[in-house]
């Protein structure tokens, strides 16, 4: 998945339908002088519903939809007939979508299952008709309920990619190249500071027909958590990854220092990210001889499983996949 149309944030006004009014009516028929109450209940107002759809990878289809409005319920009818419910407005969204109230940032729910529906803004209840209020002591009720009003609220949807492995590193660390080599994903790769401007997902095949999903997250720079560079625009996607694979190129000035900077950006954004399992891949290892590798190994963080790789020569890629699989299970 790679597209200039990747949209992971939308804001819109969600309005549910009003409930239909209950009906005040008495049965009238030839030869029946005093028919009883037969006013039916009003129909429910339409809900605004979000539905998980595994075929969607972006919120692009909602980008220009600033108002989502469900229809009102119908009034009740005679002969104790309930009015029709308002039509629900159903929005298909990618898995990993988080719904929030725009004014308070309150998280309403997260969508993680294909086909599962969640009521975002519930429609108003229909009012009761006068037939509902008939009792042995009140056989001719003269009132019916109005329908409840619908709700109107501003909603924010944020997409957080669901993946097993998230690639974390500075721009030009080789993340996109690795993804293109180990999966069928074809990210656009260029020679400029922010190589990747949209997250990319790829399915990586493993032994015995197993596989796992890898996400290439656009490059972080120092100060990203404060909004520098691409800022926190893509840091949210890292929250959904089961395992974080840090990638630092072999020609970096100081691999340990770069790792600490990356880790610090994650800590400032969300300290819980540090609870995830972490691996380190030293990329562009085809530039190194055995002597240099041994020297670099001595400088790497001792608590971090690491591997030297080269996406160009495929060096260490099998070892990397073994290491990832071991830490995912």
């Amino acid at each position: 998945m790679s597209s200039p149309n990747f949209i992971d944030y939308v804001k819109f006004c969600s309005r549910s339908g009003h409930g239909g009014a209950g009906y005040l009516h008495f049965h009238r028929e030839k030869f029946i002088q005093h028919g009883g109450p037969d006013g039916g209940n009003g129909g429910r107002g339409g809900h605004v519903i979000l539905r998980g759809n595994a075929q969607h990878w972006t919120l692009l289809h909602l980008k220009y939809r600033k108002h989502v409005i469900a229809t009102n319920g119908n009034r009740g009818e005679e002969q104790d007939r309930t009015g029709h419910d308002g039509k629900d407005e159903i929005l298909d969204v990618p898995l990993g979508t988080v719904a929030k109230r725009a004014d308070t940032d309150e998280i309403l729910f997260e969508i993680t299952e294909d086909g599962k529906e969640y009521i975002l803004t519930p429609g108003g209840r229909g009012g009761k008709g006068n037939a509902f209020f008939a009792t042995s002591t009140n056989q001719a009720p003269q009132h019916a309920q109005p329908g409840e009003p619908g709700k109107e609220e501003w909603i924010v949807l944020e997409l957080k990619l669901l993946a097993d492995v998230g690639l974390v590193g500075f721009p030009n660390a080789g993340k996109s190249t690795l993804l293109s080599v180990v999966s069928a994903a074809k990210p656009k790769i260029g020679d400029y500071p922010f190589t990747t401007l949209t997250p990319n997902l790829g399915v990586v095949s493993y032994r015995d027909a197993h596989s796992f999903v890898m996400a290439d997250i656009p490059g972080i720079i120092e100060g990203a958590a404060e909004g520098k560079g691409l800022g926190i625009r893509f840091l949210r996607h890292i929250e959904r990854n089961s395992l974080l694979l840090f990638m630092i190129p072999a020609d970096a000035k100081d691999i340990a220092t770069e790792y600490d900077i990356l880790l610090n950006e994650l800590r400032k954004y969300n300290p819980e990210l540090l609870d995830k399992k972490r691996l380190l891949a030293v990329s562009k290892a085809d530039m190194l001889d055995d002597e240099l590798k041994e020297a670099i190994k001595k400088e790497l963080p001792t608590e971090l499983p690491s591997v030297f790789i080269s996406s160009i020569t495929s060096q260490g890629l099998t070892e990397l996949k073994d290491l990832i699989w071991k830490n995912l299970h």
Side-chain angles (χ1 to χ4, degrees):
M1 178 205 73
S2 176
S3 170
N5 293 326
F6 182 83
I7 300 296
D8 59 358
Y9 178 97
V10 294
K11 180 180 178 181
F12 61 88
C13 180
S14 174
R15 188 200 306 168
S16 61
H18 300 302
Y23 195 30
L24 176 59
H25 188 268
F26 291 90
H27 182 67
R28 293 292 180 264
E29 191 174 340
K30 193 175 182 180
F31 307 122
I32 299 179
Q33 293 184 350
H34 302 290
D38 70 344
N41 302 331
R44 167 184 63 77
H47 300 318
V48 177
I49 293 174
L50 298 187
R51 179 171 61 196
N53 188 328
Q55 301 305 311
H56 282 274
W57 295 99
T58 173
L59 296 170
L60 175 67
H61 59 298
L62 301 176
K63 180 179 180 181
Y64 300 106
R65 193 166 180 186
K66 297 304 180 186
H67 293 84
V68 177
I69 303 172
T71 62
N72 298 330
N74 289 348
R75 186 187 70 172
E77 301 178 6
E78 58 189 62
Q79 297 181 10
D80 206 13
R81 292 197 298 263
T82 300
H84 290 294
D85 291 342
K87 183 181 178 183
D88 295 333
E89 193 67 30
I90 301 178
L91 306 178
D92 283 326
V93 295
L95 305 187
T97 298
V98 177
K100 298 180 177 180
R101 287 199 171 92
D103 54 347
T104 63
D105 252 3
E106 175 193 356
I107 295 177
L108 301 174
F109 49 78
E110 303 175 12
I111 296 178
T112 57
E113 297 180 40
D114 185 35
K116 187 166 184 180
E117 296 183 354
Y118 300 78
I119 296 176
L120 179 66
T121 308
R125 288 187 299 180
K128 300 299 185 183
N130 67 334
F132 175 83
F133 298 103
T135 66
S136 59
T137 57
N138 183 16
Q139 297 183 8
Q142 297 291 327
H143 69 281
Q145 287 181 334
E148 287 188 354
K151 295 181 179 180
E152 181 173 303
E153 55 188 346
W154 281 90
I155 296 293
V156 166
L157 299 183
E158 286 186 352
L159 173 59
K160 299 182 180 183
L161 293 179
L162 294 166
D164 299 306
V165 184
L167 303 181
V168 182
F170 289 111
N172 285 335
K175 303 186 302 296
S176 297
T177 304
L178 173 65
L179 188 67
S180 68
V181 170
V182 298
S183 76
K186 300 299 177 187
K188 294 180 180 178
I189 302 170
D191 187 20
Y192 45 91
F194 288 102
T195 300
T196 307
L197 295 179
T198 63
N200 298 285
L201 283 181
V203 178
V204 180
S205 298
Y206 189 61
R207 309 174 193 272
D208 302 322
H210 294 301
S211 63
F212 54 85
V213 178
M214 181 178 284
D216 165 24
I217 310 299
I220 300 172
I221 66 169
E222 190 170 6
E226 284 85 33
K228 292 184 179 178
L230 294 176
I232 64 173
R233 179 178 172 188
F234 296 114
L235 281 174
R236 70 171 69 100
H237 296 298
I238 297 175
E239 293 180 310
R240 286 294 178 274
N241 303 146
S242 303
L243 183 152
L244 302 181
L245 175 61
F246 288 76
M247 288 189 64
I248 301 176
D251 57 356
K253 289 183 179 180
D254 188 326
I255 293 177
T257 298
E258 287 204 5
Y259 171 71
D260 287 339
I261 293 172
L262 291 169
L263 207 58
N264 190 45
E265 291 305 318
L266 299 189
R267 180 186 296 108
K268 287 188 289 186
Y269 174 69
N270 182 355
E272 292 181 5
L273 293 176
L274 302 190
D275 295 333
K276 295 181 181 291
K277 289 184 179 180
R278 303 191 295 271
L279 306 176
L280 173 63
V282 179
S283 61
K284 305 180 183 179
D286 54 293
M287 305 166 56
L288 306 174
D289 56 26
D290 292 339
E291 185 177 345
L292 279 174
K293 285 182 185 177
E294 289 302 319
I296 290 175
K297 281 181 182 178
K298 296 176 182 178
E299 301 174 359
L300 299 181
T302 55
E303 78 284 359
L304 194 64
S306 59
V307 59
F308 288 85
I309 67 168
S310 169
S311 299
I312 304 301
T313 65
S314 296
Q315 174 187 336
L317 295 188
T318 298
E319 183 182 352
L320 174 64
K321 288 194 279 188
D322 287 341
L323 188 61
I324 290 172
W325 188 259
K326 176 183 176 182
N327 282 273
L328 283 177
H329 298 85

